[in-house]
Amino acid sequence: MSITNNRLTAEQYHNNFSDIHPPFETKDAAQVEANRCLFCYDAPCTKSCPTGINVPKFIKQITTDNIKGSAHTIFVSNIMGAGCSKVCPVEKLCEGACVYNLMDEEAIPIAKLQRYSTEKAMEHNWQLFERKPSTGKKVAIVGAGPAGLSCAHVLSCEGIDVTVYEKENKGGGLMTYGIAAYKVTPQFCEDEVNYILGIGGIEIKYNQELGKNILLSDLQKKYDVVYLAIGVGLARQLDIPGEEMEGVVDAIKFIYDIREGGYDKVPVGDNVAVIGMGMTAIDAATQAKRLGAKEVTMLYRRTENEKPCTQVELDIARLDGCKIVWLAAPKEIKGENARPDDPFGRGKVQQLVCSVMKLGEPDTSGRRSPVDTGETFTLNVDMVIKAAGQMPFEELVKINSIENKSGKVVIKENGETNIKGIFAGGDCVNGGKEVVDAVQAGKDGAAGILRYLGIGY
Ligand code: SF4
């Protein structure tokens, strides 16, 4: 067993990482699907979209070939509507709510239609929003992820001068760095960020990390308002023996490396265990398989009924050949003794010992909690990917005296934190949700900031 990179040919990488949801090939194909829409009154698809996109309206516009109007309808609610059409779990949002499901017929392919309009807008660089004259007000946004960019776009439309401070060298946040490359490519993410910036009035300063290159106190002095959209950090620790061994990696770091480094550069094991069953766990497991791992086993401490991922995501993992083990929790990672040639003096992973769980009483989440049966089983693995949730930047928040609950920023109804003029939103507040939730959080934050600045909105 070994962890190595460059396991496949260029063609195999290309095939394994090509777009999982191909677009409509022709205008006719899009119009046939658009014409199936019943244009429901009080449409459930719109109600189930966290950003409230007027779905029947944008689909109707496709039927009359008014693609510009359709894209505007989408972007006015969700400026990252193009990216969301690729990464949203639509089966539990708009498409899951489509009335066709009640008739046991295929739901309208809302995401594919949304992609049809928005990609055309990006391709032709149609700028569908006009920035109002500058108000002279300045807002700093920390984090160029979906919440930060969405907030920046609304503020810029209203004539606010926005500066975004981003710790990475690209914008897009989770969209750019935390999602499987076969769902959304790095190039698309870059194009989407540039498209959003097309309105003007937004400057992104890259490689600027809060607490390292920039201080909150300095931003407070320079700007009328600061909006924190710092997201969440690396994977939650397992807190089990052997976690420090060579071959144990964070899922987010693994996904980040695939997107930044290139498919052939990222090492993957022969036998990989993935801990967790959320979207990040699925993205890590499927990509490990697509990078050439011989066997990938996903472990979850509850049953399929309590899984956090959607059925569609689970089906992708199964189709990719990942094994799924329910009611299993990691107990210990075993391996060879510490090696003097390793800079950290670690040994290599050889086995993962797991506890067999059973379901107990419901916990605070309402789901039945996993209880250790005392039995164990052992998997022979050379790589363990941790995807048991992400942790908020607790230290950073505390050091800046921002009120928080276990690191999650506490905000008032208007989005403001306990510190006057400092607002926050997105994953750093809710602990990590979907991209589309972050976009809405950015809109809400912008509305609160505009009211705070006395600008009608
Ligand atoms: Fe169209 Fe389905 Fe939405 Fe009704 S629920 S408006 S049919 S997409």
Side-chain angles (χ1 to χ4, degrees), residues 21-34:
H21 299 301
F24 287 116
E25 281 181 9
T26 62
K27 180 170 101 179
D28 285 354
Q31 290 203 334
V32 165
E33 286 296 340

Side-chain angles (χ1 to χ4, degrees), residues 89-254:
V90 287
E91 57 280 4
K92 69 175 184 189
L93 298 172
C94 56
E95 290 183 19
C98 177
V99 294
Y100 271 105
N101 293 300
L102 301 173
M103 300 183 268
D104 281 334
E105 285 188 41
E106 281 283 303
I108 301 293
I110 300 170
K112 204 167 172 181
L113 290 165
Q114 183 167 313
R115 176 175 176 175
Y116 176 73
S117 300
T118 52
E119 279 197 348
K120 278 214 161 30
M122 280 173 55
E123 202 180 299
H124 298 286
N125 197 21
W126 293 331
Q127 284 301 320
L128 305 170
F129 299 87
E130 205 173 323
R131 177 173 148 83
K132 289 181 185 166
S134 176
T135 58
K137 299 285 184 193
K138 295 190 297 178
V139 171
I141 294 179
V142 186
L149 289 174
S150 151
C151 182
H153 191 263
V154 174
L155 293 176
S156 182
C157 282
E158 295 299 318
I160 309 287
D161 298 325
V162 181
T163 307
V164 184
Y165 293 85
E166 168 55 48
K167 69 175 178 179
E168 301 291 346
N169 60 11
K170 289 187 195 121
L174 184 68
M175 186 80 105
T176 299
Y177 291 108
I179 290 178
Y182 59 78
K183 291 182 185 167
V184 60
T185 63
Q187 185 57 52
F188 171 84
C189 295
E190 205 170 322
D191 293 346
E192 185 171 46
V193 171
N194 290 333
Y195 181 71
I196 294 168
L197 298 184
I199 188 165
I202 307 170
E203 184 195 0
I204 304 188
K205 291 181 187 286
Y206 292 106
N207 303 310
Q208 298 295 308
E209 187 171 348
L210 186 64
K212 219 173 182 184
N213 318 92
I214 43 164
L215 296 175
L216 193 54
S217 52
D218 289 341
L219 296 180
Q220 282 176 287
K221 282 181 212 145
K222 272 178 78 178
Y223 297 90
D224 297 293
V225 168
V226 179
Y227 180 71
L228 299 176
I230 54 178
V232 282
L234 287 176
R236 198 174 294 285
Q237 297 304 296
L238 301 174
D239 289 329
I240 58 171
E243 194 168 0
E244 71 295 338
M245 289 190 135
E246 188 185 335
V248 181
V249 298
D250 288 345
I252 286 288
K253 171 86 172 59
F254 180 66

Side-chain angles (χ1 to χ4, degrees), residues 8 12 18 34 46 55 60 68 84 123 157 179 192 196 201 215 236 245 250 309 327 359-360 385 387 392 427 433 448:
L8 307 176
Q12 285 172 316
S18 62
T46 292
V55 176
K60 184 84 193 164
K68 223 179 226 187
C84 284
E123 202 180 299
C157 282
I179 290 178
E192 185 171 46
I196 294 168
L215 296 175
R236 198 174 294 285
M245 289 190 135
D250 288 345
C309 66
L327 292 168
L359 289 184
I385 301 179
D427 287 357
K433 283 188 167 185

Side-chain angles (χ1 to χ4, degrees), residues 289-430:
K289 202 77 175 58
R290 288 166 191 238
L291 285 177
K294 291 185 182 134
E295 197 164 289
V296 175
T297 307
M298 298 188 71
L299 300 138
Y300 183 54
R301 59 199 182 130
R302 293 181 162 103
T303 72
E304 186 167 356
N305 290 337
E306 294 82 28
K307 66 183 183 304
C309 66
T310 66
Q311 189 59 44
V312 171
E313 284 167 341
L314 183 62
D315 291 345
I316 294 172
R318 281 185 167 140
L319 279 171
D320 277 6
C322 300
K323 288 186 182 167
I324 314 286
V325 182
W326 306 106
L327 292 168
K331 184 180 167 70
E332 184 181 355
I333 297 166
K334 290 183 173 175
E336 62 177 14
N337 290 333
R339 291 174 303 124
D341 60 318
D342 181 87
F344 304 104
R346 304 168 299 177
K348 285 184 182 171
V349 171
Q350 289 174 331
Q351 288 184 322
L352 175 66
V353 182
C354 299
S355 298
V356 177
M357 312 300 277
K358 64 179 181 184
L359 289 184
E361 294 301 310
D363 59 17
T364 46
S365 72
R367 295 176 302 170
R368 291 182 65 190
S369 55
V371 180
D372 195 337
T373 63
E375 285 175 48
T376 61
F377 66 92
T378 300
L379 294 174
N380 290 327
V381 295
D382 50 8
M383 187 175 194
V384 175
I385 301 179
K386 301 185 286 184
Q390 286 169 261
M391 294 185 296
F393 294 106
E394 191 165 357
E395 218 172 290
L396 180 65
V397 166
K398 284 185 174 161
I399 231 166
N400 284 292
S401 307
I402 296 167
E403 191 187 342
N404 66 91
K405 277 190 186 148
S406 308
K408 287 193 270 179
V409 177
V410 173
I411 55 170
K412 299 178 211 160
E413 211 179 321
N414 69 345
E416 197 177 16
T417 65
N418 58 313
I419 304 174
K420 193 170 160 48
I422 298 184
F423 287 66
D427 287 357
C428 67
V429 169
N430 62 36

